[in-house]
Amino acid sequence: VDRQTIKDAVINSRVAVSSTYVNKRGDTVMILDNEASKDRLAADLREKVGHSEIVLPVSRMPTIRVTGMDENYTPQDVFTHVKHQNSDRGINITESNFKVLFIRPHNKDDKKFQATVRVTNEIRSCIEHGNNKLFVGLNLCRIYDHFHVKRCNLCQGYNHYKEGCSKAPVCGKCSGPHQTDTCHVTEYKCVHCVENKHDFNHQTSDPKCKSYLAAQKKLEQSIGFYKEKN
């Protein structure tokens, strides 16, 4: 799609474009402020150049943690309990809007369990209106938002894991050019916080790392439910 066609479509659709760039494949990528603007611009462009030329990215869905379960349920058990025990509250669970990813012991109490679940924007809104609580078995479980940013244990970069990473190693303890498990320093230096000019006296794996918290915030703003809410 040529630049003038894109410009005409933006003006005609009356949308606000945050940024535009060309990716490695040569595609023009446009970032818009909201879902309504994205849909309006896509419709206008498709009329001009055809459906095959315009691709809308798949929207990210919210991920939540269901905490305080006193049994180590299977994912199917959690789904079944939530579906049948919360329908009277207007939370209508289906296999397409509530997917249990995994169950783990709670970090601070190994006698309690928590489920990580991916939900649709609509279900997240319903849960919020229900005071962020769900009935599961014999428990009324508290719901928390979960923003997990992938971090590579080889290069320490975000949004990918070590498997398949082709970058040079960076130490997660001292920022040196070697693998983390070979380092024995006691004074830490986070490579991300050095670059971002934050307090860097911690490992890159520190959950309170300001750079990691910023990456979580960026992830949050990429999910429609939170972006529209904010």
Side-chain angles (χ1 to χ4, degrees):
V1 182
D2 64 88
R3 186 174 181 83
Q4 187 59 50
T5 299
I6 294 174
K7 183 177 179 181
D8 291 343
V10 168
I11 294 172
N12 183 62
S13 302
R14 299 180 181 180
V15 297
V17 179
S18 301
S19 63
T20 304
Y21 64 91
V22 178
N23 65 19
K24 294 180 179 179
R25 296 186 301 179
D27 302 323
T28 299
V29 180
M30 306 177 70
I31 311 298
L32 287 88
D33 285 346
N34 55 65
E35 293 294 312
S37 293
K38 181 182 72 175
D39 293 339
R40 198 159 63 245
L41 178 58
D44 190 285
L45 281 169
R46 281 170 174 161
E47 286 186 3
K48 291 180 169 61
V49 301
H51 282 256
S52 62
E53 295 292 323
I54 309 302
V55 178
L56 295 179
V58 177
S59 298
R60 294 177 183 266
M61 293 197 298
T63 301
I64 59 173
R65 274 186 175 162
V66 182
T67 65
M69 299 183 296
D70 58 11
E71 291 188 43
N72 187 14
Y73 295 116
T74 67
Q76 184 60 47
D77 288 337
V78 173
F79 173 83
T80 302
H81 283 308
V82 173
K83 177 180 174 64
H84 295 307
Q85 292 183 257
N86 296 274
S87 58
D88 290 345
R89 305 167 65 212
I91 304 174
N92 299 310
I93 300 301
T94 68
E95 291 183 357
S96 63
N97 64 26
F98 190 93
K99 181 178 181 181
V100 182
L101 303 178
F102 52 83
I103 316 289
R104 287 180 179 171
H106 194 279
N107 293 334
K108 296 182 180 180
D109 184 354
D110 59 10
K111 294 181 180 180
K112 294 287 186 180
F113 298 89
Q114 57 187 11
T116 300
V117 185
R118 186 162 293 132
V119 298
T120 61
N121 293 336
E122 180 182 9
I123 290 299
R124 183 65 189 92
S125 181
C126 290
I127 293 172
E128 184 176 59
H129 291 154
N131 294 319
N132 283 316
K133 293 179 181 179
L134 287 172
F135 289 104
V136 185
L138 299 179
N139 303 112
L140 179 58
C141 297
R142 186 73 185 175
I143 306 303
Y144 295 94
D145 293 306
H146 178 58
F147 304 109
H148 174 67
V149 178
K150 296 177 182 178
R151 182 180 58 79
C152 175
N153 287 327
L154 179 65
C155 75
Q156 308 307 318
Y158 294 139
N159 301 314
H160 69 281
Y161 289 128
K162 178 178 180 179
E163 293 73 21
C165 179
S166 59
K167 296 182 180 179
V170 175
C171 181
K173 295 179 180 179
C174 73
S175 301
H178 53 261
Q179 297 203 23
T180 305
D181 56 8
T182 65
C183 186
H184 303 288
V185 300
T186 55
E187 294 185 4
Y188 302 129
K189 181 187 291 186
C190 170
V191 63
H192 295 296
C193 288
V194 169
E195 181 178 347
N196 295 323
K197 295 181 172 57
H198 296 317
D199 172 22
F200 54 76
N201 297 313
H202 56 267
Q203 298 186 55
T204 57
S205 58
D206 191 326
K208 296 181 180 179
C209 168
K210 288 185 176 180
S211 295
Y212 184 77
L213 293 176
Q216 285 185 308
K217 190 66 177 178
K218 185 177 180 180
L219 172 61
E220 177 184 353
Q221 291 305 302
S222 73
I223 301 172
F225 173 79
Y226 307 103
K227 187 173 183 179
E228 294 297 328
K229 179 180 175 181
N230 292 335

